[in-house]
């Protein structure tokens, strides 16, 4: 059976998954890009960006795990891009990732604004889901063909799946920066999850939470 996994969802020390003021200039909010800098020296990141070499170790292992066995992804519309309200304000927008996004499988974008699916190079197809998180999950599980489904973000989307008790596991890299403002993830009780693993590198502490099965 497919599992629903939150992978590589970075949090600041004060609990934010994005800074305040998301925009085209600051996709992760002001200062939020610092949440992702720990990935840049790794071998996996180097491969993704066409560079040689890169560091192995715990950071790299978690990046490998992040995509391993994932057959479909779900994300919120704010993670997909900066367009708010009707798509007609920028009908050409097709995500942050250029013509060949790094997913290479179907991606289901939660939104209140209907839109035709967008096939991209490399196998990624963005589908826009307007009838809620359960519908997105049902479609993603079907599309994943027996593999797991990832909830990529952002904060509001991860929270909705946590509230519904649908997430099987979360990998949360805790990054030693303070954002002060923005979108917080764990600011309400999410009963039924426990920490099953943590490990630190020089730059970040990796925490894994799993749903406790009764
Ligand atoms: N820290 C990390 O590792 C990480 C990972 C991924 C993303 N991020 C960051 O997180 C930020 C985005 O997070 P966010 O919490 O602002 O937003 P989000 O979860 O990405 O998207 C929220 C939006 O998606 C749509 N949506 C969500 N749930 C819906 C539902 N059930 N039905 C219909 N539409 C729904 C709504 O858009 P409409 O009403 O406009 O359609 C809503 O405003 C970005 O800055 C991104 O870069 C961080």
């Amino acid at each position: 059976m497919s599992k629903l996994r939150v992978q590589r969802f970075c949090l600041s020390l004060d609990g934010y998954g994005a800074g305040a003021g998301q925009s085209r200039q600051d996709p992760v909010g002001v200062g939020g890009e610092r949440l992702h800098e720990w990935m840049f020296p790794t071998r996996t990141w180097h491969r993704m960006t066409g560079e040689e070499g890169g560091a192995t170790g715990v950071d790299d292992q978690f990046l490998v795990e992040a995509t391993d066995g994932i057959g479909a992804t779900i994300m919120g519309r704010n993670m997909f891009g900066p367009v708010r309200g009707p798509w007609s304000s920028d009908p050409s927008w097709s995500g942050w990732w250029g013509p060949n996004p790094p997913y290479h499988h179907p991606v289901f974008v939660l939104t209140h604004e209907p839109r035709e699916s967008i096939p991209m190079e490399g196998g990624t197809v963005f589908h826009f889901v307007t009838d809620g998180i359960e519908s997105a999950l049902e479609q993603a599980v079907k599309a994943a063909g027996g593999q797991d489904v990832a909830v990529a973000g952002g904060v509001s989307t991860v929270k909705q799946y946590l509230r519904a008790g649908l997430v099987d596991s979360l990998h949360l890299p805790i990054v030693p920066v303070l954002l002060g403002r923005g979108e917080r993830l764990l600011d309400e009780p999410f009963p039924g999850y426990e920490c099953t693993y943590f490990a630190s590198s020089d730059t970040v502490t990796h925490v894994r939470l799993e749903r406790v099965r009764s």
Side-chain angles (χ1 to χ4, degrees), residues 8-10 17-18 22 27-29 35-36 76-79 85 110-113 129 132-133 152-157 160 183:
R8 203 183 56 185
F9 196 83
C10 308
Q22 294 173 39
V28 200
L35 296 176
H36 297 138
R77 191 210 189 171
N78 294 1
M79 178 174 174
L110 285 163
T111 177
H112 293 98
E113 302 288 338
V129 180
I133 63 167
V155 175
S156 142
T157 297
Q160 290 178 66
E183 308 304 322

XYZ file of all heavy atoms in Angstrom, residues 8-10 17-18 22 27-29 35-36 76-79 85 110-113 129 132-133 152-157 160 183, ligand 1:
269
model
N 12.055 15.991 3.537
C 12.940 17.143 3.357
C 12.190 18.458 3.599
O 12.422 19.436 2.902
C 13.476 17.088 1.919
C 14.739 17.791 1.655
C 15.097 17.703 0.209
N 14.074 18.192 -0.684
C 14.105 18.136 -2.002
N 15.112 17.557 -2.602
N 13.143 18.637 -2.740
N 11.303 18.457 4.591
C 10.560 19.690 4.856
C 11.309 20.469 5.935
O 11.246 20.144 7.118
C 9.115 19.403 5.265
C 8.279 20.628 5.160
C 7.735 21.003 3.949
C 8.102 21.467 6.259
C 7.013 22.183 3.820
C 7.386 22.642 6.140
C 6.835 22.996 4.920
N 12.028 21.500 5.505
C 12.986 22.186 6.371
C 12.283 23.179 7.296
O 11.414 23.938 6.850
C 13.994 22.956 5.521
S 14.756 21.939 4.255
N 8.496 27.108 8.283
C 8.802 26.420 7.028
C 8.923 27.380 5.868
O 9.344 27.001 4.767
N 8.541 28.626 6.089
C 8.711 29.706 5.109
C 8.751 31.015 5.882
O 8.074 31.150 6.907
C 7.568 29.723 4.092
N 6.149 36.018 1.067
C 6.437 35.237 -0.148
C 6.186 36.107 -1.381
O 5.191 36.817 -1.458
C 5.522 34.019 -0.218
C 5.736 32.990 0.871
C 4.665 31.901 0.824
O 4.254 31.462 -0.226
N 4.214 31.489 2.001
N 10.760 33.420 -2.985
C 9.776 32.343 -3.065
C 9.495 31.664 -1.722
O 8.379 31.213 -1.472
C 10.429 31.338 -4.031
C 11.502 32.075 -4.738
C 11.900 33.226 -3.877
N 10.532 31.588 -0.859
C 10.346 30.942 0.449
C 10.133 32.006 1.533
O 10.310 31.757 2.720
C 11.558 30.031 0.780
C 11.176 28.998 1.841
C 12.066 29.293 -0.465
N 9.720 33.197 1.123
C 9.563 34.305 2.059
C 10.926 34.928 2.353
O 11.970 34.364 2.021
N 16.827 28.116 4.607
C 16.397 26.779 5.049
C 16.928 25.680 4.139
O 16.976 24.514 4.524
C 14.860 26.700 5.069
C 14.138 27.610 6.047
C 12.623 27.481 5.871
C 14.536 27.261 7.474
N 17.304 26.040 2.913
C 17.680 25.018 1.934
C 19.184 24.965 1.651
O 19.636 24.075 0.943
C 16.914 25.265 0.623
C 15.433 25.138 0.791
N 14.531 25.995 0.218
C 14.706 24.251 1.499
C 13.305 25.641 0.558
N 13.386 24.591 1.334
N 0.835 22.486 -2.370
C -0.115 23.597 -2.358
C 0.243 24.598 -3.437
O 1.365 24.646 -3.932
N -0.722 25.402 -3.754
C -0.523 26.352 -4.843
C 0.554 27.398 -4.528
O 1.229 27.879 -5.437
C -1.857 27.056 -5.104
C -1.850 27.861 -6.354
C -2.763 29.030 -6.219
N -2.940 29.695 -7.486
C -3.811 30.643 -7.694
N -4.630 30.988 -6.728
N -3.894 31.239 -8.848
N 0.753 27.747 -3.251
C 1.787 28.748 -2.934
C 3.182 28.189 -3.144
O 4.119 28.936 -3.397
C 1.648 29.235 -1.486
C 0.373 30.009 -1.262
O -0.420 30.169 -2.180
N 0.175 30.478 -0.051
N 3.326 26.866 -3.027
C 4.621 26.260 -3.349
C 4.824 26.218 -4.861
O 5.950 26.333 -5.344
C 4.704 24.849 -2.771
C 5.995 24.161 -3.126
S 6.213 22.583 -2.346
C 7.725 22.050 -3.176
N -5.054 34.279 -6.556
C -6.281 34.643 -7.256
C -6.339 33.956 -8.613
O -5.666 32.940 -8.843
N -2.886 21.588 -5.085
C -4.152 21.990 -4.454
C -4.413 23.464 -4.720
O -3.532 24.307 -4.510
C -4.065 21.782 -2.939
C -4.154 20.357 -2.441
C -3.643 20.266 -0.993
C -5.589 19.838 -2.530
N -5.612 23.768 -5.164
C -5.967 25.165 -5.449
C -7.487 25.316 -5.490
O -8.211 24.323 -5.638
C -5.358 25.629 -6.802
O -5.785 26.976 -7.069
C -5.787 24.750 -7.970
N -7.927 26.564 -5.312
C -9.349 26.869 -5.513
C -9.602 27.368 -6.935
O -10.728 27.674 -7.290
C -9.811 27.927 -4.510
C -9.802 27.434 -3.090
N -8.767 27.697 -2.216
C -10.684 26.666 -2.411
C -9.016 27.114 -1.045
N -10.176 26.493 -1.137
N -8.543 27.497 -7.731
C -8.664 28.074 -9.078
C -8.433 26.981 -10.125
O -7.293 26.555 -10.331
C -7.632 29.193 -9.280
C -7.733 30.335 -8.274
C -8.954 31.209 -8.490
O -9.488 31.210 -9.615
O -9.363 31.882 -7.530
N -6.011 20.451 -8.536
C -7.083 19.751 -7.830
C -7.864 20.764 -7.010
O -7.295 21.436 -6.143
C -6.497 18.660 -6.900
C -7.613 17.928 -6.167
C -5.630 17.687 -7.691
N -10.204 19.267 -2.867
C -9.751 18.944 -1.528
C -8.636 17.923 -1.412
O -8.227 17.281 -2.381
N -8.147 17.801 -0.160
C -6.941 16.991 0.077
C -7.183 15.499 -0.138
O -6.300 14.790 -0.594
C -6.339 17.243 1.481
C -7.303 16.842 2.606
C -5.880 18.680 1.630
C -6.621 16.774 3.988
N 4.938 17.591 -0.719
C 6.149 18.414 -0.816
C 6.048 19.693 0.007
O 7.047 20.253 0.415
C 6.403 18.771 -2.283
N 4.854 20.189 0.258
C 4.664 21.457 0.956
C 3.586 22.251 0.257
O 2.917 21.710 -0.631
N 3.400 23.498 0.613
C 4.073 24.192 1.711
C 3.421 23.867 3.048
O 2.786 22.822 3.234
N 3.576 24.822 3.956
C 3.198 24.602 5.351
C 1.714 24.271 5.482
O 1.331 23.288 6.134
C 3.548 25.858 6.188
C 3.061 25.695 7.615
C 5.043 26.113 6.144
N 0.872 25.071 4.860
C -0.574 24.882 5.003
C -1.001 23.503 4.498
O -1.854 22.840 5.086
C -1.301 26.004 4.256
O -2.439 25.549 3.621
N -0.368 23.069 3.430
C -0.728 21.766 2.841
C -0.286 20.619 3.743
O -1.065 19.689 4.005
C -0.099 21.661 1.434
O -0.680 22.689 0.630
C -0.336 20.301 0.813
N -2.627 20.351 6.720
C -3.945 19.756 6.445
C -3.869 18.231 6.444
O -4.745 17.559 6.980
C -4.473 20.239 5.103
C -4.864 21.702 5.098
C -5.348 22.138 3.721
O -6.388 21.674 3.255
N -4.604 23.002 3.080
N 5.473 31.178 8.126
C 4.492 30.088 8.230
C 5.069 29.012 9.135
O 6.081 28.395 8.818
C 4.210 29.501 6.837
C 3.835 30.515 5.772
C 2.637 31.359 6.140
O 1.684 30.831 6.758
O 2.667 32.572 5.838
N 10.569 24.500 4.269
C 10.467 23.717 3.206
O 11.185 22.701 3.068
C 9.453 24.050 2.164
C 8.974 23.064 1.314
C 7.989 23.400 0.387
C 7.523 24.698 0.326
N 8.022 25.629 1.168
C 7.555 27.025 1.152
O 6.263 27.080 1.739
C 5.616 28.262 1.238
C 4.186 27.885 0.819
O 3.468 27.419 1.949
P 2.028 27.988 2.308
O 1.627 27.414 3.620
O 2.054 29.474 2.170
O 1.113 27.486 1.114
P 0.842 26.112 0.338
O 0.499 25.033 1.277
O 1.972 25.853 -0.608
O -0.405 26.550 -0.557
C -1.549 27.087 0.048
C -2.515 27.422 -1.058
O -2.849 26.232 -1.786
C -4.241 26.205 -2.038
N -4.830 25.153 -1.197
C -4.274 24.569 -0.101
N -5.105 23.638 0.401
C -6.209 23.643 -0.385
C -7.412 22.900 -0.366
N -7.651 21.968 0.579
N -8.334 23.144 -1.324
C -8.086 24.064 -2.296
N -6.949 24.804 -2.356
C -6.034 24.601 -1.407
C -4.767 27.557 -1.674
O -4.534 28.408 -2.792
P -5.657 29.214 -3.612
O -6.809 29.432 -2.690
O -4.943 30.471 -3.997
O -5.991 28.390 -4.799
C -3.839 27.963 -0.553
O -3.768 29.336 -0.345
C 6.442 28.751 0.060
O 7.208 29.852 0.498
C 7.357 27.575 -0.249
O 8.587 27.979 -0.806
C 8.962 25.337 2.103
